[in-house]
Amino acid sequence: MRPIPQMPSLASLTAVFRSAVLGLALAMLAGFACAQTDEAPPGPTIADIQSLVKQKQLPQALDKTEQYIAAKPKDAEGYFAKGQILVQMQRPAEAMAVFTKMIQDFPELPEPYNNLAVLYAQQKQYDQARAALDMAIRANPDYVTAHENLGDIYAKLASRAYEKAVTLDTANKTAPAKLSLMRQAIAPAGKADAAPPPSPAPAAAPKAATQPNHGKKHPGR
C-alpha cells in the first residue's frame, strides 16, 4: 500500500496563494505597460487643422482632416472643416459633395445647408440656393446668416426679373428704376450703380458659416 501523502499546512497554502497573486499582478502590470507602449499617438485635433489653414498649408490641413474623420466618423466638425478647406482650394464640386453628405448625416445642422447655398449662388444657381437656405432656416429658425443670405438671393432673383422686363419692353418706365434700386441694395458697399447697366451688377456674396453651431446637439458631441 502507498502511504497517504502528507497534507500541506494552512501556512504553506497561504504562502503559495500570495505568490501566485503577486505573479499574476506583475504579469498584468507588464501587459499594461506593453499596451501603453504600443498605443498609437493621439490623432489631429480641429485646432491643429485650423492652425494649418491659417498658415495656408491647405494640403496638409486636408490630410489632417481625413485623419480626424477616420478617427471620429460621427463628428460633424471634421466634415465641415474638410468642406471649408476644399472651398479654399478652389475645389467647389468636392466641397458641395461634402456639405451634401453632411446634410444627409446631420440634417439638424443648418450650417451645411447655408454653405451649400453659398456655393450654389457662386454658380448663379439661385433657385437651388434658395431651397438650401429654406432648409437651413427650417433646421434653425433663429439662424441669422441664413435669413440674410436668403434676402440676398431673393434680391438677385428680383434683379433678374426686372432685367428681363427691361429687355422685353424698352419703353417700360418703372422696371429700370426698380432694377437700379435693387442693384444698389445688393451691390457691395461703395459700388452701387447710379443707373442700370446692361449686364447684371455684382452683388454681395452670401455669407458662409465658419463652423457648425455648437449650441445644437448632434452625433459625436
Side-chain angles (χ1 to χ4, degrees):
M1 295 179 63
R2 289 181 296 177
I4 299 174
Q6 184 178 359
M7 296 293 294
S9 66
L10 180 60
S12 64
L13 283 175
T14 302
V16 171
F17 178 74
R18 286 177 179 171
S19 177
V21 170
L22 179 60
L24 178 61
L26 290 173
M28 291 176 64
L29 286 173
F32 180 70
C34 182
Q36 283 189 320
T37 303
D38 296 338
E39 186 178 349
T45 65
I46 293 297
D48 295 333
I49 296 168
Q50 291 174 341
S51 177
L52 289 170
V53 171
K54 288 180 181 178
Q55 298 171 36
K56 305 300 182 183
Q57 299 182 31
L58 299 181
Q60 296 89 331
L62 186 60
D63 288 342
K64 294 293 184 184
T65 303
E66 295 288 9
Q67 295 174 30
Y68 184 93
I69 291 173
K72 300 180 179 180
K74 294 185 178 181
D75 192 326
E77 283 189 309
Y79 296 98
F80 202 81
K82 181 179 179 179
Q84 290 179 298
I85 292 168
L86 288 170
V87 169
Q88 293 191 44
M89 295 178 74
Q90 305 297 316
R91 293 159 65 175
E94 294 174 70
M96 292 178 79
V98 171
F99 291 130
T100 300
K101 186 179 187 310
M102 284 193 71
I103 287 170
Q104 297 169 356
D105 295 344
F106 310 100
E108 74 280 8
L109 292 179
E111 291 84 1
Y113 292 107
N114 178 79
N115 283 18
L116 186 60
V118 171
L119 292 170
Y120 276 131
Q122 290 175 354
Q123 300 174 13
K124 301 188 185 301
Q125 300 181 41
Y126 298 129
D127 289 330
Q128 291 90 329
R130 177 181 57 187
L133 289 169
D134 282 337
M135 292 303 296
I137 293 170
R138 183 177 299 180
N140 182 3
D142 299 326
Y143 188 24
V144 175
T145 301
H147 283 286
E148 182 178 356
N149 285 344
L150 185 59
D152 290 340
I153 294 300
Y154 276 122
K156 291 183 181 188
L157 289 171
S159 180
R160 274 189 170 183
Y162 290 136
E163 252 184 28
K164 188 68 174 179
V166 170
T167 302
L168 293 173
D169 183 7
T170 55
N172 190 306
K173 301 300 183 182
T174 58
K178 292 177 180 178
L179 177 58
S180 179
L181 289 172
M182 190 59 61
R183 285 176 172 170
Q184 291 180 43
I186 63 178
K191 295 185 179 180
D193 298 299
S199 59
K207 297 178 181 179
T210 57
Q211 61 183 8
N213 184 358
H214 294 282
K216 300 280 287 184
K217 293 184 179 178
H218 57 79
R221 286 294 181 82

